[in-house]
């Protein structure tokens, strides 16, 4: 199905006067070629808007802001206070995140500040349907993600496995790394990163940028895997010590190295595209 056809189909499933556009990532670059084209495709959903339609959108994304300016019935959500819905007093624990919206304290049993933005979209829609803050509080506290999305699992050596290997793009990779860096009270932090697939002509640059994004003051070891994973290691080399980086072309060798390396109370992040099948590694450790 084409992107336009898919969006039209989803639009028919949604409530007729509520439309939500979250973010512009890189997941469809191979098909659409640029983030601008992705933004154009996502904004096609408003072509079916009626007079009483209300649009909720990520106000932190300039590509959306410039395309949605003509619309009158719209509300924004995002990280900063220019938006209609934004979070304050964010606190991250191993069981989830607490934050405040419009002086109401809320909790989601999900890790990753990017998931607070998803919660903000839900909050905006709920308020449009006149749901009370108490109803919203209860609903968010029961939120669940599918497997391999920011799951925190106890490993066989007493380590903690942060499994976020359902899929990967540069945006979600950076979000997972930031989450790992924000989590505290662990002995060491080990990032296990693999190929991000279907990124188009600039895929090597995207992988190098992830390596450059890693903070050696927050991450003790970097293990990379796959043909493109090598470029993550290459991007990290200028600011990591040589002994902090290991690249693997063989998955079994990576598993063996991790089994010999990880210790109790280490935090180990797994992040790669679904095609890299990182669940095979996670199962061996867990």
């Amino acid at each position: 199905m084409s992107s336009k056809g898919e969006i039209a189909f989803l639009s028919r499933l949604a409530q007729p006067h509520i439309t939500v556009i979250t973010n512009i990532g890189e997941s469809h670059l191979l098909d659409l070629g640029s983030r601008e084209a992705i933004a154009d495709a996502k904004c096609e959903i408003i072509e079916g808007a009626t007079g009483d339609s209300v649009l909720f959108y990520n106000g932190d994304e300039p590509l959306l802001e410039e395309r949605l300016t003509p619309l009158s019935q719209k509300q924004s959500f995002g990280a900063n206070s220019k938006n209609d819905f934004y979070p304050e007093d964010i606190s991250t624990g191993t069981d989830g995140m607490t934050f405040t919206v419009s002086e109401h304290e809320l909790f989601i049993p999900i890790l990753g500040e990017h998931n607070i933005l998803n919660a903000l979209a839900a909050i905006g829609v709920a308020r449009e349907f006149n749901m009370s803050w108490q109803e919203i509080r209860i609903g968010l506290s029961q939120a669940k993600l599918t497997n391999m999305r920011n799951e925190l699992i106890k490993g066989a050596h007493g380590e903690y496995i942060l499994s976020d290997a359902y899929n990967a793009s540069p945006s979600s990779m950076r979000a997972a790394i930031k989450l790992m860096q924000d989590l505290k009270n662990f002995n060491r932090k080990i990032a296990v990163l693999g190929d991000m697939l279907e990124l188009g002509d600039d895929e090597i640059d995207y992988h190098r940028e992830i390596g450059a994004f890693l903070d050696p003051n927050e991450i003790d070891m970097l293990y990379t895997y796959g043909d493109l994973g090598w470029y993550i290691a290459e991007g990290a080399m200028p600011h990591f010590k040589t002994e902090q980086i290991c690249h693997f072309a063989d998955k079994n060798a990576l598993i063996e190295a991790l089994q010999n390396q990880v210790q109790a109370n280490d935090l180990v992040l797994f992040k790669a595209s679904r095609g890299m099948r990182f669940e095979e590694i996670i199962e061996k450790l867990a």
Side-chain angles (χ1 to χ4, degrees):
M1 186 181 293
S2 69
S3 62
K4 190 168 185 177
E6 181 180 8
I7 289 171
F9 174 72
L10 292 174
S11 179
R12 288 195 297 271
L13 291 179
Q15 290 289 340
H17 69 292
I18 299 291
T19 301
V20 180
I21 305 178
T22 53
N23 68 325
I24 307 300
E26 304 87 2
S27 297
H28 303 286
L29 280 174
L30 184 63
D31 296 320
L32 296 178
S34 69
R35 293 184 70 249
E36 288 76 11
I38 294 172
D40 289 337
K42 288 201 172 187
C43 289
E44 287 170 0
I45 195 170
I46 65 177
E47 293 176 8
T50 58
D52 63 346
S53 295
V54 180
L55 172 71
F56 291 90
Y57 71 101
N58 186 338
D60 296 337
E61 175 51 73
L63 292 175
L64 288 178
E65 190 74 39
E66 63 191 31
R67 285 164 172 77
L68 301 176
T69 299
L71 296 177
S72 57
Q73 293 259 65
K74 60 181 181 179
Q75 296 190 51
S76 64
F77 58 90
N80 62 65
S81 58
K82 74 172 185 177
N83 293 291
D84 297 299
F85 295 92
Y86 62 92
E88 297 180 292
D89 304 321
I90 297 173
S91 176
T92 300
T94 56
D95 60 341
M97 295 176 294
T98 301
F99 58 101
T100 301
V101 178
S102 301
E103 299 184 353
H104 296 274
E105 186 176 281
L106 305 166
F107 172 79
I108 53 174
I110 298 169
L111 297 173
E113 289 188 13
H114 55 290
N115 284 312
I116 290 180
L117 295 183
N118 296 331
L120 292 174
I123 291 167
V125 173
R127 293 299 292 164
E128 184 67 21
F129 282 115
N130 297 314
M131 291 182 67
S132 70
W133 283 102
Q134 177 63 11
E135 289 174 312
I136 292 170
R137 185 178 293 109
I138 292 171
L140 290 179
S141 70
Q142 298 172 349
K144 295 180 181 179
L145 292 178
T146 54
N147 292 340
M148 296 195 297
R149 292 184 187 270
N150 289 335
E151 286 185 292
L152 196 61
I153 306 165
K154 195 72 172 290
H157 295 83
E159 76 275 20
Y160 289 85
I161 297 168
L162 183 56
S163 171
D164 193 18
Y166 184 83
N167 215 336
S169 67
S171 296
S172 67
M173 185 77 81
R174 284 190 291 269
I177 292 166
K178 184 180 185 303
L179 169 59
M180 182 188 197
Q181 294 177 169
D182 288 344
L183 291 172
K184 305 302 181 185
N185 302 318
F186 294 96
N187 289 342
R188 297 180 305 167
K189 295 180 180 179
I190 302 170
V192 185
L193 308 179
D195 295 9
M196 299 177 289
L197 304 176
E198 301 180 356
L199 293 180
D201 295 339
D202 297 322
E203 60 183 6
I204 290 175
D205 290 338
Y206 283 123
H207 285 79
R208 286 182 178 138
E209 289 168 6
I210 292 300
F213 179 77
L214 295 163
D215 185 349
N217 296 313
E218 295 287 345
I219 295 174
D220 299 283
M221 292 288 298
L222 169 63
Y223 286 9
T224 58
Y225 171 72
D227 294 339
L228 291 169
W230 159 251
Y231 296 103
I232 298 176
E234 186 178 76
M237 286 175 184
H239 51 286
F240 275 76
K241 296 177 182 178
T242 302
E243 60 268 23
Q244 289 180 283
I245 302 175
C246 295
H247 177 73
F248 295 85
D250 180 80
K251 187 176 288 184
N252 289 327
L254 171 57
I255 292 170
E256 183 178 354
L258 286 168
Q259 289 174 330
N260 292 330
Q261 177 67 241
V262 296
Q263 302 170 7
N265 206 43
D266 284 348
L267 178 63
V268 189
L269 167 66
F270 288 92
K271 183 71 174 173
S273 282
R274 189 70 182 84
M276 303 306 290
R277 300 188 64 83
F278 264 25
E279 70 272 15
E280 296 172 347
I281 309 173
I282 295 168
E283 288 170 2
K284 293 291 185 181
L285 267 70

